[in-house]
Amino acid sequence: MGSVDAADLRCHRGASAYSLLPFLLTAPVTEFDPPTIAVVVVPAPLKALDYLLPDGQPVAPGCRVEVPLGPRRVVGVVWALKAGDTSALKPIGRVLDAEALLPTSLRALLEFAASYYVTPIGEVLRTALPPQARATRAPIRVATPAFRRRDDAVIDPSWLRRAPRQLAVWLALADGPRALESLKRQFGDTVSEPLRALATRGAIEACAAPLDAVSRTPIALNADQQHAVAAIVGALGGFQRFLLEGITGSGKTNVYLAAAQAALKRGQQVLMLVPEIGLTPQFLARIEAALDAPVLKLHSGLNDGERQQSWLGAAQHAAQVLIGTRSAVFAPLPNLGLILIDEEHDGSYKQRDGFRYHARDLAIKRAQLANCPIVLGSATPSLETLRAAELGAYQRLRLSLRATGAIAPEIRVLDCRALKLHEGLSPPLLTAIERVIERREHAIVFLNRRGFAPVVLCHDCGERIGCPSCDATLTWHQADARLRCHHCGYACPKIDHCPKCASLNLLTQGEGTERIEQALQRSFPGVPVVRVDRDSTARKDGLKRQLDTLKDDAPGILIGTQMLAKGHDLHRVTLAVILNVDQGLFSADFRAPERLAQLIVQVAGRAGRGDRPGHVLLQTHHPQHPLLRTLIERGYRAYADGLLSERRELGLPPYAHHALLRAEGRNEAQVLEFLNQLMSATPIAPSVRVLGPLPATLKRRADLYRWQWLLETDTRTVLRDALDALISNAAATPRGVRWFVDVDPQDLS
Ligand code: ADP
Ligand code: ZN
Ligand code: ZN
C-alpha cells in the first residue's frame, strides 16, 4: 500500500477525473479542426491531463511522451488527440517513442477498467505498464517480426526500377509474408532501409511472422474434447464466451492447446491466464512442448528486465502465446485472437490492494474489445460465472470423464467427534495414511494454516500473545524459532513468560502445517514427509526440490496449504486429507462455503490420477452438515445450485452488486468521523442499500484502524452513480486518513 502522502494524491480524483473519459469506448466526435491538444495519462493516481501538442511533430496515440507535472518531468502515454482551447496548457516535453506501444484496444480496456473500478486512469496505467516502460526515457521500439505486401499496394514500376534494393525485397515478398530474420539472412542487416522505404510508400506492411509448421505432436482429443475444440475454433474471429466445465483430469488443458493452435494458425495471439500457483515449470513445459510457437511468460517471479522483455514481445505482431498470471490481462497483444482462463474461479485473479481489479472480468471485456472468443475453464466454476451462464452469457462445454480413464476418487467424511486427536489427527485418519504407506503410495494432507501453532496462550491467566500492531494473535513458527504475525509481517523471538502475569506456563494451541509435519514424522518414522507452504518454498526452486525427495517407488507424505492443490501432477497420490473443513463451514464470510467446495473438489483431483483409485477424507466435527452431504452425494453442480438459491434469497452476489468504501488511519475516531461525514454529506439513491460503518474483519492491521461502508445494489449503474458521488465528496480527505473503493470485493477482511 502506498504511503499516506501518495494516497493524498487521490484528492485529484473526483467526478471530474472521469468526465474526460471515455475517449475510446464511445466513438469520438469527428474533428474537423486539426488536433492541437494531446490527452496524456501518466502512471500515477491522476485523471488524464491535457497538454499542448508540439508543432509539426507527429505523435501517435499510444506513444510515450515526457510531460511536465508540477515541478517534475514524468513519462506519460498519449491517449488521444483533440482540438480546443490551448491557452492555459503546458506543452509536451519530448516525444519518446516513434510508434505506439499501447494498442487502441488495450487503451480502451484501461479506460473501461478505470470507469468500472472507479479508479483514476493513471493508476490503472501504472498497473498495466512494466516498471521499465514507466521509467526509461529511451525510445522503446517494438520489433517487427515480419513483412508482407499490402493488398492495396499501388506500384509504379518506374519507381521500383530506380530502386533496385527495394525491387529485390518487393520480389522476395511475392509468395507471402517473410520473417525479418529470414530477410536479413538473404539481404544482410541493411535490409531495414529498403523495408522502411517500401513501408513509407504504402507498398508493404508489418505483420505476424508466418508459422513454419502446424504442431510438433498432434494433441490427443476424445469426443468431448473434440466437440469443445470445434465450438471454440468455430467462434474464432468474433466475440463469444465459453464456459468449459471439466472435472479435474478431464483434459481441459488439451482443449486449450488445440484451440490455441487454431488461433496461432490464423496468425493470431493467444492470451492464457493461470492462477498464481498454477504456473509451474511442469505446466509451462507441457504448453511449450505442444505448441510450435513462441511462448511468452508474464508473472510475479520475473525481474524488471524479464518483465519488460515479455511485455515487449507481446507488443509485437506475432503469432504467439502469452501465459501469465492476473496482470497479464494488461499485456499489449495487438493481434489478440483467443483468451483462455484456467481455473476461472481462482481467488488469485482478484487484485487485493492498490488497484483492485478482477482479471477474469477484465479479460471478458478485453475479448469483447478484441472481438475474439474467451474460454473460462474450471471444474468448479464460480457462482458469478454459473449465474451468468444461467442467463445465457456463456456457451457451456462439458468434459465429464477423466481423460486418462482414471476412476474419480471417492470423497468421504471422517467423523472425528469424541475421538482422541493427536495434534489434530484422528486415529482413523492415521490408519488410513498407514495403509497408503504400506502400499508404497503417497498421501497428501491439507491444512490452510502455516507455522506450528496459531496461538500461544498463558495457562495461568489466559492471555493470548497478540501482535502489537494488529488485532490478531502471533503464530509460533518452530522452524525458525519466531513468533510471527501473518497480517503485518511483525516477528519476534520466542517469549518465555507471559507479558501480562509473567507466568512461565505458556502453551501452544491449535495446529499449523509445521506441527502436523512433526506429528506425521513421529507417527511414520522413516517415511519422507514433505511440507509445502509459503515458508518451506520461499527459496527459488524450493518446491521442486522438496517434491523431488518423494520417490515413485517409495511411500511418502505431503503436508501443505492450498499451494499443493494445483498444478503438480502427483500421480502416486492415492489419499488426500483435508483437516480444517469446519472452518469453511462456519465462517462469517458468505463466500467461505463456495471456496471450501472448490478446494475439496480440487484436492480430490489430486488423488488417484495414476493407475490407482484415490480417496478423499474430510475430517470434521459436523459429518451431517447439509453442505458436505450435498457436495459428496450430489456433486459440485448441485452444491453450487443450492448456494445460488441461498444467495438469491439473501440478496447477495451474484444477485446483487457490492462495493466497499474503506477508510483507514491510526486514529480510529478520525476514521469513523470521515466515513460518517462522507455518508451524511452524499445524497445516495434510496435503492442503494448502505451498511455501516462496519469494522473490517481484522479491525486493526499494521497499526491502522479499518472501517468501511458496504454498498449493495441490484443494478450496476446505480452502484456506479453512488460511488461517483461518494468519490467526489471524499476529495477533502483529512491528513492521516486514507481510503479506497473496492468494486466486487471478494472478502471483507
Ligand atoms: P485438467 O486440466 O482438466 O485437470 P489435464 O489437461 O491436466 O486435465 O489432463 C489430465 C491428464 O489427461 C493429462 O495427463 C493429459 O495428458 C491427459 N489427457 C488429456 N486429454 C487426453 C486424451 N484425449 N487422451 C489421453 N490422455 C489425455
Ligand atoms: Zn499470563
Ligand atoms: Zn501484525
Side-chain angles (χ1 to χ4, degrees):
M1 264 189 229
S3 67
V4 170
D5 280 344
D8 285 346
L9 276 174
R10 283 175 177 275
C11 307
H12 292 276
R13 60 202 261 175
S16 61
Y18 311 105
S19 56
L20 277 173
L21 299 171
F23 299 113
L24 302 159
L25 293 177
T26 55
V29 184
T30 327
E31 308 259 9
F32 294 106
D33 301 325
T36 48
I37 298 171
V39 183
V40 174
V41 176
V42 298
L46 298 171
K47 61 179 183 172
L49 307 164
D50 284 356
Y51 288 91
L52 184 64
L53 266 177
D55 271 348
Q57 202 180 350
V59 191
C63 286
R64 296 174 317 133
V65 288
E66 194 182 63
V67 290
L69 184 71
R72 294 177 302 143
R73 298 179 81 76
V74 299
V75 173
V77 173
V78 176
W79 218 255
L81 305 177
K82 63 178 185 184
D85 177 17
T86 57
S87 47
L89 298 182
K90 289 185 188 164
I92 280 181
R94 250 189 321 150
V95 178
L96 300 177
D97 305 321
E99 305 141 42
L101 270 186
L102 269 63
T104 312
S105 66
L106 176 58
R107 281 179 287 130
L109 178 78
L110 303 188
E111 264 182 38
F112 170 82
S115 146
Y116 186 92
Y117 293 106
V118 287
T119 296
I121 182 78
E123 192 163 333
V124 177
L125 179 67
R126 183 165 60 181
T127 305
L129 275 186
Q132 287 187 356
R134 299 198 299 252
T136 181
R137 261 68 169 172
I140 296 179
R141 286 190 63 90
V142 176
T144 309
F147 288 92
R148 68 171 170 222
R149 291 184 176 182
R150 283 177 67 129
D151 294 339
D152 57 355
V154 183
I155 296 300
D156 173 358
S158 64
W159 144 59
L160 271 184
R161 267 197 301 278
R162 272 180 279 122
R165 298 221 327 132
Q166 291 180 41
L167 177 62
V169 173
W170 172 257
L171 293 175
L173 294 175
D175 296 331
R178 288 275 305 271
L180 180 61
E181 283 311 306
S182 116
L183 289 169
K184 279 186 178 168
R185 277 195 296 276
Q186 185 176 347
F187 297 102
D189 279 356
T190 54
V191 73
S192 42
E193 289 158 26
L195 281 171
R196 201 173 308 130
L198 285 164
T200 316
R201 287 181 186 271
I204 64 167
E205 64 188 357
C207 68
L211 284 182
D212 299 338
V214 183
S215 158
R216 288 166 199 154
T217 35
I219 292 161
L221 298 174
N222 59 32
D224 277 357
Q225 289 169 320
Q226 275 171 24
H227 170 77
V229 172
I232 300 164
V233 172
L236 289 173
F239 172 57
Q240 193 170 338
R241 291 185 253 184
F242 294 95
L243 173 57
L244 179 63
E245 293 176 88
I247 58 165
T248 328
S250 61
K252 291 185 288 295
T253 311
N254 281 20
V255 172
Y256 302 144
L257 287 170
Q261 264 183 3
L264 292 167
K265 255 191 264 178
R266 293 164 56 102
Q268 291 182 304
Q269 295 173 309
V270 178
L271 171 63
M272 182 168 189
L273 295 182
V274 291
E276 249 152 40
I277 48 177
L279 198 57
T280 59
Q282 259 175 346
F283 184 75
L284 280 173
R286 185 171 162 198
I287 303 288
E288 282 179 324
L291 296 176
D292 199 20
V295 176
L296 304 169
K297 292 135 228 164
L298 212 46
H299 55 85
S300 56
L302 303 180
N303 62 33
D304 284 357
E306 292 167 325
R307 179 169 290 274
Q308 176 83 353
Q309 246 181 9
S310 289
W311 196 84
L312 277 181
Q316 295 179 16
H317 260 272
Q320 58 191 357
V321 179
L322 174 70
I323 297 191
T325 48
R326 176 171 75 220
S327 66
V329 76
F330 298 120
L333 302 168
N335 200 16
L336 185 58
L338 175 67
I339 303 181
L340 305 162
I341 304 193
D342 193 24
E343 312 290 355
E344 67 86 22
H345 63 277
D346 195 273
S348 73
Y349 287 126
K350 170 79 174 177
Q351 165 92 24
R352 282 160 206 270
D353 50 29
F355 164 39
R356 294 166 161 79
Y357 65 95
H358 201 299
R360 174 198 62 212
D361 298 347
L362 286 182
I364 294 170
K365 185 69 195 178
R366 180 129 206 211
Q368 191 192 25
L369 290 166
N371 201 29
C372 73
I374 178 166
V375 182
L376 273 58
S378 178
T380 53
S382 65
L383 297 190
E384 280 80 5
T385 299
L386 285 176
R387 169 70 181 149
E390 217 172 76
L391 292 174
Y394 290 90
Q395 182 175 339
R396 299 174 91 139
L397 306 168
R398 287 209 176 82
L399 306 180
S400 43
L401 298 169
R402 282 193 162 190
T404 51
I407 309 154
E410 186 195 357
I411 304 179
R412 277 187 289 151
V413 291
L414 200 161
D415 181 0
C416 67
R417 281 176 300 180
L419 296 181
K420 182 163 168 35
L421 299 181
H422 290 266
E423 316 274 14
L425 303 170
S426 64
L429 194 64
L430 290 169
T431 311
I433 297 178
E434 195 170 348
R435 296 238 176 77
V436 170
I437 303 225
E438 283 162 7
R439 292 197 306 264
R440 306 181 71 76
E441 294 168 353
H442 297 168
I444 301 190
V445 180
F446 284 91
L447 177 61
N448 268 346
R449 196 189 281 140
R450 59 201 172 86
F452 186 85
V455 176
V456 178
L457 176 83
C458 171
H459 198 40
D460 287 334
C461 79
E463 174 80 355
R464 292 145 64 99
I465 312 294
C467 171
S469 300
C470 305
D471 289 336
T473 57
L474 294 175
T475 298
W476 171 237
H477 285 248
Q478 199 161 71
D480 60 353
R482 293 184 96 70
L483 285 157
R484 293 184 181 282
C485 174
H486 287 186
H487 303 284
C488 71
Y490 171 86
C492 65
K494 184 173 188 162
I495 289 175
D496 52 14
H497 62 270
C498 170
K500 198 166 160 204
C501 75
S503 155
L504 297 177
N505 209 351
L506 297 180
L507 305 175
T508 53
Q509 209 176 36
E511 296 87 27
T513 46
E514 280 183 13
R515 188 171 211 155
I516 303 294
E517 178 189 21
Q518 286 188 14
L520 290 168
Q521 278 165 346
R522 267 200 305 276
S523 301
F524 304 102
V527 176
V529 177
V530 173
R531 175 164 58 90
V532 179
D533 56 30
R534 203 136 51 83
D535 302 318
S536 72
T537 58
R539 280 160 303 146
K540 218 175 176 180
D541 295 336
L543 182 56
K544 187 177 175 320
R545 219 166 331 128
Q546 304 242 22
L547 292 176
D548 284 350
T549 59
L550 290 186
K551 299 282 170 271
D552 263 5
D553 51 355
I557 305 175
L558 290 140
I559 157 79
T561 55
Q562 77 259 51
M563 268 183 91
L564 255 182
K566 248 239 52 104
H568 311 279
D569 209 352
L570 307 164
H571 54 275
R572 293 287 294 185
V573 170
T574 52
L575 172 69
V577 175
I578 303 183
L579 286 184
N580 51 352
V581 172
D582 295 354
Q583 229 178 39
L585 292 175
F586 296 99
S587 166
D589 182 351
F590 71 86
R591 285 193 167 84
E594 179 186 352
R595 296 206 188 103
L596 173 67
Q598 288 164 345
L599 176 73
I600 292 174
V601 173
Q602 197 92 65
V603 166
R606 308 274 77 202
R609 286 207 132 195
D611 46 356
R612 301 161 192 231
H615 284 95
V616 180
L617 289 179
L618 311 176
Q619 182 173 284
T620 173
H621 281 94
H622 304 274
Q624 293 306 324
H625 197 289
L627 286 178
L628 287 183
R629 300 260 54 108
T630 308
L631 184 64
I632 292 167
E633 286 157 19
R634 297 171 52 219
Y636 180 78
R637 283 301 306 282
Y639 180 94
D641 285 346
L643 290 184
L644 274 172
S645 45
E646 222 175 88
R647 298 243 191 122
R648 181 190 285 123
E649 269 161 42
L650 297 173
L652 289 169
Y655 297 94
H657 307 292
H658 276 173
L660 274 185
L661 182 110
R662 175 179 293 168
E664 42 193 40
R666 285 169 186 270
N667 180 335
E668 188 172 18
Q670 199 189 16
V671 169
L672 275 167
E673 191 189 278
F674 166 75
L675 280 176
N676 286 327
Q677 263 184 10
L678 178 60
M679 202 45 89
S680 57
T682 311
I684 287 184
S687 58
V688 181
R689 296 179 289 281
V690 178
L691 275 80
L694 310 160
T697 312
L698 193 67
K699 192 177 85 176
R700 188 174 59 109
R701 192 176 78 185
D703 292 316
L704 296 176
Y705 289 91
R706 309 150 78 231
W707 285 82
Q708 56 209 4
W709 288 103
L710 177 65
L711 278 65
E712 194 181 85
T713 64
D714 296 331
T715 65
R716 287 253 164 230
T717 27
V718 174
L719 185 63
R720 266 295 311 278
D721 291 348
L723 290 173
D724 278 345
L726 281 167
I727 286 170
S728 51
N729 272 344
T733 314
R735 252 200 119 60
V737 175
R738 61 187 185 189
W739 58 273
F740 62 82
V741 169
D742 190 352
V743 177
D744 306 332
Q746 288 296 301
D747 59 55
L748 308 182
S749 64

